[in-house]
Amino acid sequence: MAAPAADAAAPAAAAAPAPAAATEGAALHLRVPFYSPLFTDVPLAAVNDEKITLEDLQKALMSVHEKMTEEKATTAKKNFLDALQRLINVKLIVMEAKSMELDKLPEVASDLENFSAAQLRQALFLERVKDLKPDEKEVEKLYRTKIKEWKLKTLRFEKEAEAKKFRKEIGEGKDFMVLREKLLADYKADTLGRNENEYVNSDGLGPELTAALENVKAGTVSPVITGINGFIVVKVEDVRSIEKPEEKAKAQAVLLSQLRLKSLRAYKDELLKKYGKENTKLIKSLDLEAPKPGIKKLMTDKRVLVSIKGEKPITVADLTDAIQTKFFHGVENAIKEKKLNREKLATLDEMTSLRLFNKEIRERHIENNEEYKKKMEEYKNTVLFSIFVEKVIKPDVTYTMKDLKEYYDAHAADYKSAEVLQLDGIAFKTSEPAQAALDKLRHGMDFKWLKDNAEDQVRKDAPGMLKFDGEMLPITSFPQDMQKVLSGAVKGDYKLYQSPEGYHYVLSVANYIPAKVQPLEEVKNAIGEQVVWRNQKKTVEEWFKKLRDAYTVKIYLEER
């Protein structure tokens, strides 16, 4: 076969083996576009005459996010061959697992049966929705919402009356910012706690605020908005839209998902008309919580709730049994708390849907779907590989204290405890006073005095404020961006940090304990896991080598 090359669209990968009439050792080389659907069944290798195809290689490379380009031809070549060797190794293990009859183990059969049922329904559903497309006008509308951004000044009140009073004063001509600053200073309201110098989109606002601001123009103030944690008034300083092609794709995906869900809900009703019949009178009158006849009697009640042509009907007993399994502590308490009847319709709908879909799967012979067959084969191989490792390889993998010591000595730097710091901080509203405070501290000013007397500080109960209570804490317990600021800090240092809420902190490192290598005794369990993994990997490699000698392996892909 030809080595990986490239055509206009994607790398070329393989060549078919020589025709059957060719003499032994002869080969026909063929340039194959790697991603072309025309060549997916081209064999690249064979193990005991079971082929590994170009499609298998495509999936293997996609699963590890390999990217091959013409500019990286050498890397692509190596990726092709390495991935193919891995596929051969998996095929060898799977074959050996079958020869040991591991595929007949009850847990394997149960796993495959559950996966098969789920995949058959998935194949049925995909066939149902494959031609659905969202309305382009709806896509454009949702897209425009997603790319819209607001620059806001916010004020949140605990009581609606206070919010309405503020909004009325704004309507009478009073200045929003002047009134807001006074209310904030008097602790009669607060902000939403985000950086108000930045724009925010609908994801940051949430659905309620986004809907409320839809028609509020730049330079105006919103009406009172009822939020999750209070009553909000917003001044819209600016509104903009930034074109983002990726958001258009997301909007299409969201609406398509909604369309598919609606279609699948309707599908159940269509199948019920086609195959079944509900006893609506009995369903409506059935009281699972009534003293008479009582739950125990209902568990043996054979009255039919839903009948399905050619299938076993759903009876009162079936429904009662399904519902009681949802209550781990028994149905008696659930009856007292009036929970059983709440579950009645939802559980019956689940049971009916499942049986109707399974009926349709059998009627339409979805098990003959080629995509389903491929997924089942791939999953079976995965299960057999895992069970082989679990049953055959793992029991023989051990380690000694000598192994632990050798690994520890080679990787001691990986087992350091985190740096531990004791922090204090002063939060300022803007960067200028924070920088000025930092300069004063570095010139010897007392931190506690400055914290008690500095102006322009953020109030202590503001949303998102960091608390400093004098504890010694590992550096990893602080926010990621703060960890970067504190990197390399020692006792007595002062650092500037801006939080996502827009607060400017002057951080004081009151105490510091450097990282240190942990003793072997403290980390031996973690090291044991690494040593077991290393030894297991080595054992697997030994099995690969042994099985290559036991099975016939042919490779058609050539490196050139």
Side-chain angles (χ1 to χ4, degrees):
M1 289 195 159
D7 63 7
T23 59
E24 185 67 29
L28 174 65
H29 294 282
L30 177 68
R31 288 174 61 84
V32 176
F34 186 74
Y35 294 109
S36 172
L38 300 175
F39 299 91
T40 54
D41 204 41
V42 171
L44 305 184
V47 180
N48 273 20
D49 295 328
E50 284 193 18
K51 65 183 180 180
I52 297 171
T53 66
L54 178 60
E55 184 179 20
D56 296 328
L57 184 61
Q58 289 170 346
K59 289 179 178 178
L61 291 173
M62 286 173 64
S63 69
V64 292
H65 307 290
E66 295 282 0
K67 292 182 180 179
M68 294 164 286
T69 63
E70 185 175 357
E71 291 77 22
K72 296 181 180 179
T74 303
T75 304
K77 194 182 302 182
K78 183 177 185 298
N79 287 337
F80 278 131
L81 295 170
D82 289 349
L84 183 59
Q85 294 293 350
R86 289 194 293 271
L87 288 171
I88 290 169
N89 289 337
V90 170
K91 182 77 78 174
L92 288 166
I93 291 290
V94 169
M95 284 187 169
E96 186 67 7
K98 289 177 180 177
S99 74
M100 294 179 174
E101 298 191 338
L102 295 181
D103 54 334
K104 297 180 181 178
L105 290 173
E107 60 262 42
V108 173
S110 176
D111 193 348
L112 292 176
E113 183 180 346
N114 291 335
F115 183 79
S116 173
Q119 289 304 310
L120 284 168
R121 287 193 294 274
Q122 181 74 358
L124 177 70
F125 297 160
L126 287 175
E127 191 171 308
R128 162 82 176 190
V129 302
K130 65 182 180 181
D131 296 324
L132 292 177
K133 292 181 180 179
D135 185 282
E136 285 304 317
K137 289 182 180 178
E138 290 299 315
V139 172
E140 184 65 19
K141 182 179 177 181
L142 180 58
Y143 170 63
R144 287 293 151 196
T145 300
K146 287 296 183 182
I147 63 171
K148 196 172 183 180
E149 295 181 346
W150 294 262
K151 192 175 183 182
L152 307 172
K153 296 294 184 185
T154 64
L155 203 60
R156 176 170 51 190
F157 299 83
E158 287 186 6
K159 296 179 181 178
E160 186 176 15
E162 294 171 347
K164 286 184 174 179
K165 179 185 176 185
F166 172 75
R167 185 61 186 84
K168 183 181 178 183
E169 290 180 295
I170 300 303
E172 292 169 350
K174 292 186 179 180
D175 186 272
F176 179 94
M177 292 303 295
V178 172
L179 278 179
R180 187 179 94 136
E181 288 306 313
K182 187 175 187 312
L183 288 167
L184 291 174
D186 293 340
Y187 300 103
K188 292 182 178 179
D190 60 13
T191 69
L192 292 181
R194 62 172 58 91
N195 187 347
E196 295 186 335
N197 292 319
E198 296 180 356
Y199 284 82
V200 62
N201 60 19
S202 59
D203 291 336
L205 287 176
E208 293 88 0
L209 269 177
T210 300
L213 295 176
E214 183 64 31
N215 298 314
V216 181
K217 295 179 180 179
T220 64
V221 178
S222 75
V224 175
I225 302 164
T226 302
I228 297 173
N229 297 313
F231 301 91
I232 303 158
V233 180
V234 176
K235 181 178 181 182
V236 179
E237 294 196 316
D238 191 25
V239 183
R240 70 183 185 186
S241 292
I242 299 176
E243 298 295 331
K244 299 176 183 177
E246 68 276 10
E247 288 297 337
K248 175 69 75 72
K250 287 180 184 178
Q252 288 174 327
V254 166
L255 292 175
L256 180 58
S257 178
Q258 293 172 356
L259 199 60
R260 286 176 170 178
L261 183 59
K262 184 178 178 181
S263 176
L264 291 177
R265 284 173 177 164
Y267 198 13
K268 177 254 180 179
D269 295 331
E270 292 171 23
L271 293 178
L272 184 60
K273 289 180 182 178
K274 182 178 179 182
Y275 295 122
K277 185 178 180 181
E278 287 183 322
N279 187 341
T280 52
K281 185 177 179 180
L282 177 57
I283 292 169
K284 187 176 180 179
S285 65
L286 184 63
D287 187 350
L288 301 173
E289 297 164 357
K292 291 183 180 182
I295 193 70
K296 288 185 179 179
K297 191 77 172 175
L298 293 176
M299 287 179 184
T300 60
D301 191 332
K302 299 301 181 184
R303 287 178 294 168
V304 174
L305 294 169
V306 182
S307 58
I308 300 172
K309 292 176 186 177
E311 303 293 329
K312 194 177 174 183
I314 299 173
T315 65
V316 173
D318 295 330
L319 176 62
T320 307
D321 182 62
I323 289 177
Q324 72 164 342
T325 60
K326 297 184 177 184
F327 298 96
F328 301 108
H329 302 295
V331 292
E332 289 76 15
N333 287 335
I335 290 172
K336 290 177 183 177
E337 296 170 7
K338 305 293 183 184
K339 291 182 177 179
L340 255 61
N341 285 335
R342 290 184 226 159
E343 293 287 340
K344 181 178 70 173
L345 295 180
T347 304
L348 183 60
D349 183 68
E350 290 170 12
M351 297 174 71
T352 305
S353 298
L354 186 61
R355 295 201 187 188
L356 288 169
F357 290 138
N358 288 342
K359 170 76 172 176
E360 183 76 348
I361 285 166
R362 288 190 290 273
E363 291 291 322
R364 296 176 63 174
H365 299 287
I366 301 296
E367 71 276 5
N368 294 328
N369 180 291
E370 287 302 318
E371 191 62 30
Y372 161 77
K373 289 180 180 179
K374 287 178 182 178
K375 285 183 178 179
M376 280 303 301
E377 184 63 26
E378 290 168 6
Y379 187 72
K380 185 176 183 179
N381 289 345
T382 300
V383 171
L384 289 177
F385 188 95
S386 298
I387 204 74
F388 185 88
V389 171
E390 195 67 33
K391 300 286 187 182
V392 180
I393 292 175
K394 275 190 176 181
D396 293 335
V397 177
T398 59
Y399 65 86
T400 65
M401 280 303 297
K402 182 183 177 183
D403 294 330
L404 291 182
K405 184 68 168 61
E406 288 176 352
Y407 187 92
Y408 175 76
D409 290 342
H411 301 86
D414 297 336
Y415 295 94
K416 280 187 175 182
S417 62
E419 300 167 86
V420 180
L421 301 97
Q422 181 186 22
L423 294 182
D424 202 346
I426 309 172
F428 292 92
K429 296 176 183 177
T430 57
S431 60
E432 291 80 4
Q435 183 62 55
L438 180 71
D439 295 339
K440 290 175 183 177
L441 289 167
R442 287 177 174 171
H443 283 87
M445 180 170 282
D446 181 72
F447 181 87
K448 187 177 183 308
W449 186 92
L450 185 61
K451 187 173 183 179
D452 292 339
N453 294 280
E455 295 181 355
D456 203 37
Q457 291 189 49
V458 180
R459 70 179 193 277
K460 292 180 175 58
D461 64 344
M465 272 285 286
L466 295 173
K467 307 296 182 186
F468 304 100
D469 52 13
E471 283 188 67
M472 295 290 292
L473 297 170
I475 193 170
T476 51
S477 67
F478 298 116
Q480 198 77 34
D481 51 350
M482 187 190 287
Q483 291 180 40
K484 293 178 182 177
V485 169
L486 293 170
S487 178
V490 295
K491 183 177 178 179
D493 277 355
Y494 299 103
K495 298 285 185 179
L496 276 182
Y497 165 66
Q498 183 179 352
S499 72
E501 293 80 15
Y503 308 145
H504 298 263
Y505 290 86
V506 177
L507 301 175
S508 168
V509 183
N511 205 351
Y512 169 78
I513 300 174
K516 63 178 181 179
V517 176
Q518 296 170 276
L520 173 58
E521 188 62 29
E522 290 182 11
V523 296
K524 67 179 182 181
N525 290 337
I527 288 176
E529 291 176 5
Q530 294 299 319
V531 171
V532 165
W533 173 250
R534 182 194 65 185
N535 291 352
Q536 180 177 301
K537 187 177 179 183
K538 182 180 177 183
T539 304
V540 169
E541 293 293 336
E542 290 170 355
W543 266 99
F544 289 156
K545 184 177 179 182
K546 183 164 60 174
L547 293 175
R548 280 176 178 260
D549 293 334
Y551 290 85
T552 303
V553 177
K554 296 177 183 177
I555 300 176
Y556 307 124
L557 183 67
E558 297 176 1
E559 183 173 355
R560 288 186 151 199

